[in-house]
Amino acid sequence: MLDAFVAEFKTGEELGASFTLAIDGEVVVDMRAGHADRARTRPFRRNTLAPVFSITKIVAALMIARLVDQGKLSYTQTVASIWPEFAQAGKAEITVEQVLSHQAGLSGLDKPIDRILWYDAPAICERLAAMEPLWPVGSASGYHPHTYGFLVGEIFRRVDGRSLGTAMREDLAIPLGLDLWIGLPDTEHRRCAEVAFWQKPGTLKSTHRAVEYALKAKWASPGGQGLGAWRRGEFPGGNGLATGPALARLLGALACGGSLAGVHVLSPEAMDLMRAQRIVGRDLVLPHTVSWGAGVMRNAPYMHYGPSPDAFGHAGWGGCVAFADPARGVSGAYLLNRHGPKAIGDERAIRLVAAAYDCL
């Protein structure tokens, strides 16, 4: 496993990275190397916070699963029963699980906005509530890279009363001692890794409007406020920051019965509901066939999270990944700051996970 990790740096594919493996929620491997900044002046340390991008979605999905576990919400409940304004434009029957599994047809905003507006969650939610789905709901999944966080965050807020990022810190991160954030205070910004983004043109060739509004439109993503504002904001679909041990331990709770260090995270029954397949097929936005649970990527058909068909997790932009394997009690996280070109299936992550399983 160490050889596989070191090899990534010898080939020049990494700037800074960490790989963490936990068994039954206890960290057994915690490797890191390289630099946290593009100038190569800061080492990638144990407390370096890496942007985990869409891995944030599995944390948001876990927070929704906890509401289901507590009997405050049902996956089959309509979103409009919680959020009445959402019933507009033919969306009255869309369910919570359809939103979580990217079936709601709202992969991006279909009308131009100033990119600064993404920092105004009520305004974005108002537009999503009024919008007509981009494809027949339930007919396919279409990955919601940015809108997912607003939809799930608003569902959570309407049921719980707190923002999802605040609740995650209060209910999980602080009690479990996890260095995991959705909305980062200024005092922690100095620990953040800088990202070396992939500079070559993207490979998404689909002309479906779901892709256009999700990723290609000039207004498709937040902008105009600077990196500090992005870190401070709460975007439950994509601006989480974490250390590898934090993610590996949190996913470890899902790999070993639902509790961690005496803290109840999720019952086994609720975990099974969360990871149960909602839809499988060629995604309209991602260039892959994806099996979606309620906010989690199931291991089949590509088996990126090791050999177990029961494993599940989520990939993040640039190549990072976090996963849980209930059949083996194993969880892990691969974080990095030099992006690769793939949204799913970065070869670096696949090689490291395979090497980890070879050692078990």
Side-chain angles (χ1 to χ4, degrees):
M1 193 186 323
L2 178 60
D3 290 342
F5 187 64
V6 171
E8 305 293 350
F9 286 87
K10 288 183 176 179
T11 62
E13 292 190 54
E14 301 284 23
L15 174 60
S18 69
F19 183 74
T20 309
L21 194 74
I23 298 177
D24 295 333
E26 295 297 322
V27 172
V28 295
V29 174
D30 185 17
M31 304 183 291
R32 72 201 63 82
H35 296 88
D37 61 333
R38 292 186 293 271
R40 300 177 183 266
T41 62
R42 291 191 290 124
F44 202 105
R45 301 185 186 278
R46 182 177 177 81
N47 71 340
T48 295
L49 290 171
V52 302
F53 298 105
S54 284
I55 292 175
T56 315
K57 291 179 174 69
I58 198 172
V59 179
L62 173 58
M63 296 303 295
I64 293 291
R66 284 169 55 83
L67 294 180
V68 173
D69 202 13
Q70 295 159 9
K72 298 177 180 179
L73 183 67
S74 167
Y75 285 125
T76 58
Q77 189 172 347
T78 65
V79 176
S81 68
I82 307 153
W83 178 4
E85 299 89 340
F86 191 79
Q88 299 175 71
K91 301 195 302 300
E93 300 305 317
I94 293 177
T95 63
V96 171
E97 64 186 357
Q98 286 176 322
V99 167
L100 286 162
S101 55
H102 301 267
Q103 298 183 66
L106 304 171
S107 59
L109 296 175
D110 61 350
K111 293 181 175 60
I113 61 168
D114 187 319
R115 293 175 67 197
I116 291 176
L117 195 67
W118 286 101
Y119 290 86
D120 184 346
I124 296 296
C125 288
E126 182 180 348
R127 281 160 174 74
L128 289 169
M131 183 175 155
E132 183 178 344
L134 297 171
W135 65 88
V137 175
S139 65
S141 68
Y143 188 59
H144 293 42
H146 300 291
T147 54
Y148 175 98
F150 292 88
L151 295 166
V152 173
E154 184 66 6
I155 291 169
F156 185 90
R157 186 189 68 81
R158 297 233 174 186
V159 175
D160 182 87
R162 296 172 292 173
S163 73
L164 190 148
T166 296
M168 185 278 295
R169 287 294 303 168
E170 292 176 351
D171 297 349
L172 292 179
I174 292 173
L176 291 169
L178 303 179
D179 205 351
L180 173 63
W181 309 80
I182 304 174
L184 188 70
D186 287 351
T187 54
E188 308 298 326
H189 287 208
R190 58 183 174 78
R191 298 195 287 127
C192 293
E194 294 178 357
V195 176
F197 292 102
W198 182 254
Q199 297 298 320
K200 296 180 182 180
T203 57
L204 294 177
K205 298 179 181 179
S206 172
T207 57
H208 195 289
R209 59 181 181 160
V211 177
E212 177 66 26
Y213 296 133
L215 296 169
K216 296 181 178 181
K218 293 181 180 179
W219 62 89
S221 61
Q225 291 283 66
L227 184 57
W230 166 254
R231 290 170 175 166
R232 283 189 294 272
E234 286 194 21
F235 297 90
N239 83 326
L241 290 122
T243 62
L247 279 175
R249 290 187 64 228
L250 181 62
L251 272 291
L254 304 181
C256 59
S259 63
L260 185 66
V263 176
H264 174 78
V265 176
L266 200 66
S267 71
E269 296 78 14
M271 184 188 70
D272 288 343
L273 277 176
M274 179 177 68
R275 64 190 180 97
Q277 181 173 280
R278 276 19 184 240
I279 191 169
V280 62
R282 184 73 175 185
D283 192 88
L284 297 178
V285 174
L286 297 173
H288 298 280
T289 295
V290 185
S291 174
W292 288 107
V296 302
M297 294 176 170
R298 293 160 50 84
N299 206 16
Y302 288 108
M303 308 302 283
H304 289 160
Y305 310 135
S308 173
D310 292 329
F312 60 96
H314 213 290
W317 186 32
C320 54
V321 70
F323 70 96
D325 179 357
R328 302 286 294 270
V330 171
S331 59
Y334 165 62
L335 307 182
L336 71 159
N337 64 338
R338 170 167 283 165
H339 276 195
K342 293 187 177 181
I344 299 176
D346 188 286
E347 286 83 358
R348 295 169 295 179
I350 293 172
R351 288 192 292 262
L352 285 168
V353 173
Y357 273 91
D358 286 344
C359 296
L360 295 177

